[in-house]
Amino acid sequence: MIAPIIKGLVLGVFLSISVGPIIFAIIKQSITNGHKAGYTFVAGVSASDITLVLVCNLFTSLFTTALNHSTAIAVTGSIFLVAVGIYTVFFKKAAITDEENKLILKKFRKRDLAGIFLAGYFMNILNPGVFLFWFAWTAAIIGDAATTPNPFHYKLIVFVTCLLFVLLSDIAKVALAGKLRTKLTPKNLHNINIISGIILIGFGIALCWGVLNFGDAIKNH
């Protein structure tokens, strides 16, 4: 079936190039902490996408309830983004060697990697934009699937193709960002941390402001 593969690729391309806090967080995580941390963060993001797809398809009522509390979710997500941004700007420091003042790769414990995984998971799943994306497209795909001989097979191909494409594109971002790391000095990395932190704070404030000012208007429309 070519049609569901094409649709899955289109959705994957759209989601992977969408400008948001996740793409900056992936790049920052990879440059700051190296490939291992970057891939762990991406795994958390991918796990959250899979969770949302399953919720949309299997627990429609639960997802609808979550949308009814989109304001609380958005505020929680914005606080999370601002907190991460503040930590990145003011407290995040590059690990360097004592001899040559060069960047070194950190050694992560299992609990450190678990924290990075959860950061990726919650940063993605607490974004109302991601909720709306999966809700809208799941509804559309279910409608398309209903006109096919095998609806389940159709939906499976679309979502697997989309999620796999997004995962591979995120892995590519980690790999490319990791190559830049060897050419960075601690000062440059510090500047990158500041810029990425400000971006996260900006996204968090914009998210909170938008939902508090327009959330009720959208619900009542």
Side-chain angles (χ1 to χ4, degrees), residues 119-166:
Y121 186 91
F122 287 111
M123 185 177 290
N124 191 58
I125 208 168
L126 290 175
N127 186 344
V130 177
F131 265 81
L132 293 174
F133 174 88
W134 286 119
F135 179 74
W137 280 108
T138 297
I141 292 168
I142 290 175
D144 290 342
T147 63
T148 65
N150 192 333
F152 176 79
H153 190 222
Y154 182 94
K155 290 187 295 181
L156 182 64
I157 293 175
V158 172
F159 288 121
V160 169
T161 302
C162 175
L163 292 171
L164 184 60
F165 182 89
V166 173

Side-chain angles (χ1 to χ4, degrees), residues 70-112:
S70 60
T71 299
I73 294 173
V75 171
T76 302
S78 65
I79 293 173
F80 181 75
L81 289 177
V82 171
V84 173
I86 291 174
Y87 171 77
T88 302
V89 172
F90 295 103
F91 302 103
K92 191 76 171 180
K93 295 182 179 180
I96 59 175
T97 61
D98 294 331
E99 299 175 355
E100 301 177 2
N101 200 39
K102 292 181 179 180
L103 295 172
I104 60 174
L105 287 174
K106 294 182 179 179
K107 294 183 179 180
F108 293 99
R109 296 165 295 182
K110 290 183 179 180
R111 64 182 181 183
D112 296 327

Side-chain angles (χ1 to χ4, degrees), residues 65-73 211 214-221:
T65 300
L67 286 178
N68 290 334
H69 295 84
S70 60
T71 299
I73 294 173
V211 75
F214 302 107
D216 292 337
I218 293 175
K219 288 180 181 180
N220 295 329
H221 183 67

Side-chain angles (χ1 to χ4, degrees), residues 168-188:
L168 292 176
S169 67
D170 286 344
I171 289 174
K173 293 169 190 173
V174 173
L176 292 174
K179 290 182 178 180
L180 296 176
R181 191 179 194 277
T182 58
K183 301 179 181 179
L184 293 175
T185 64
K187 182 178 180 180
N188 291 336

